[in-house]
Amino acid sequence: MARRKKVYEGKAKILYEGPEPGTLVQYFKDDATAFNAEKKDVIEGKGVLNNRLSEYFMNGLNNIGVPTHFIKRINMREQLIRAVEIIPLEVVVRNVAAGSISKRLGIEEGTPLPRPIVEFYYKDDALGDPLVTEEHIIAFGWANQQDMDDMVALALRVNDFMSGVMMGVGIKLVDFKIEIGRIWDGDFMRLVVADEISPDSCRLWDMETGQKLDKDVFRRDLGNLADAYTEVARRLGVLPTNSAPLGKPTLIN
């Protein structure tokens, strides 16, 4: 597919105009960032892995009736998606205490939560993507009450699907974040899962050893990120079991 006009570039992906109205081409970069891009690396092959893994998860969601923006994978780094109006919130579902919830509430990392907890964070890098309440979201017009109910329902369905898939390959889904967008069909609006679902946006721990298989490997200097993502892809059958890791990290000064 011919490269088209760039629409948007984020930390891990670039969006280009799609071949048809209402579509975009999403390109996965090899860049890895953490702590609001204070830490940066280029991980060779990361974009290829995330493209394939996000395709796997989005197809799985579409197949069980959870709507997503995903249409098809185009090549190793690009996929065709529907253009959506992104709601300016990150929707986080937590099954096990880790990361910021452990720091905020003093819960030991690894503690199972009494039930899946859904949190919302306002998407603003300059503010550090702050945690917000439903009251903030409705008061500032980011979403209405019906949107909120639908987002929670979507997030919990994604959690059910992802937890089952990961458990089947010996991986614990600790938490994950998704973005949700609006699509209009005439006057009818519906919400769909957008952006990506990959080890960049999930915490994944080996169920037996506790080994981290997600971006915490990069955040906490726990090893090679490409190796961790390749292991997830191998277990899910996205890559051949005998394939080698796709790359080694190259430091950006």
Side-chain angles (χ1 to χ4, degrees):
M1 180 174 291
R3 183 58 54 82
R4 297 166 184 266
K5 178 183 175 184
K6 184 191 295 186
V7 175
Y8 171 81
E9 181 167 0
K11 294 190 282 282
K13 294 180 295 296
I14 305 173
L15 297 178
Y16 296 96
E17 285 183 343
E20 311 258 337
T23 67
L24 295 168
V25 173
Q26 182 166 255
Y27 174 89
F28 286 77
K29 302 193 293 185
D30 282 343
D31 298 42
T33 64
F35 313 117
N36 276 331
E38 290 179 14
K39 182 176 183 180
K40 301 178 183 179
D41 273 355
V42 172
I43 312 293
E44 184 184 346
K46 171 179 170 288
V48 172
L49 287 162
N50 280 351
N51 184 26
R52 296 297 296 268
L53 286 163
S54 194
E55 172 198 17
Y56 178 89
F57 295 129
M58 293 289 188
N59 268 335
L61 290 170
N62 286 333
N63 289 339
I64 63 168
V66 177
T68 79
H69 72 165
F70 179 81
I71 300 173
K72 66 177 182 178
R73 182 170 58 83
I74 299 168
N75 54 43
M76 292 295 283
R77 288 187 178 271
E78 294 180 323
Q79 50 186 237
L80 185 66
I81 60 172
R82 293 178 180 85
V84 305
E85 177 193 322
I86 292 288
I87 296 172
L89 299 167
E90 292 180 347
V91 185
V92 173
V93 181
R94 300 182 184 276
N95 300 305
V96 177
S100 63
I101 195 171
S102 293
K103 295 175 184 175
R104 285 199 317 269
L105 303 180
I107 304 172
E108 184 179 356
E109 189 159 280
T111 303
L113 298 173
R115 63 180 178 85
I117 293 176
V118 181
E119 298 176 334
F120 297 93
Y121 294 80
Y122 179 51
K123 281 174 54 64
D124 188 317
D125 285 345
L127 299 175
D129 300 329
L131 177 70
V132 292
T133 67
E134 290 192 15
E135 185 69 17
H136 294 121
I137 293 164
I138 294 169
F140 293 120
W142 300 325
N144 60 36
Q145 187 62 60
Q146 185 61 57
D147 291 337
M148 296 294 303
D149 294 344
D150 291 345
M151 284 193 288
V152 169
L154 273 177
L156 292 175
R157 289 188 70 192
V158 173
N159 188 47
D160 286 345
F161 168 75
M162 293 285 294
S163 295
V165 167
M166 289 303 183
M167 185 178 297
V169 294
I171 295 174
K172 181 185 297 183
L173 179 66
V174 174
D175 58 39
F176 66 90
K177 70 176 180 181
I178 55 173
E179 295 187 18
I180 292 174
R182 299 183 177 99
I183 289 180
W184 275 268
D185 295 319
D187 291 334
F188 176 71
M189 187 275 293
R190 62 189 176 118
L191 299 181
V192 303
V193 178
D195 192 44
E196 69 176 298
I197 300 177
S198 75
D200 267 9
S201 57
C202 304
R203 278 193 175 90
L204 306 170
W205 296 353
D206 181 272
M207 293 181 72
E208 290 189 4
T209 67
Q211 179 188 2
K212 292 176 173 57
L213 301 170
D214 56 68
K215 200 161 77 168
D216 275 348
V217 172
F218 171 69
R219 290 188 189 99
R220 303 182 185 185
D221 297 316
L222 299 176
N224 185 293
L225 193 67
D227 288 350
Y229 286 19
T230 298
E231 177 63 18
V232 175
R234 282 179 180 167
R235 292 195 195 189
L236 292 170
V238 175
L239 291 181
T241 55
N242 62 351
S243 65
L246 290 184
K248 300 296 180 185
T250 302
L251 182 64
I252 291 180
N253 294 321

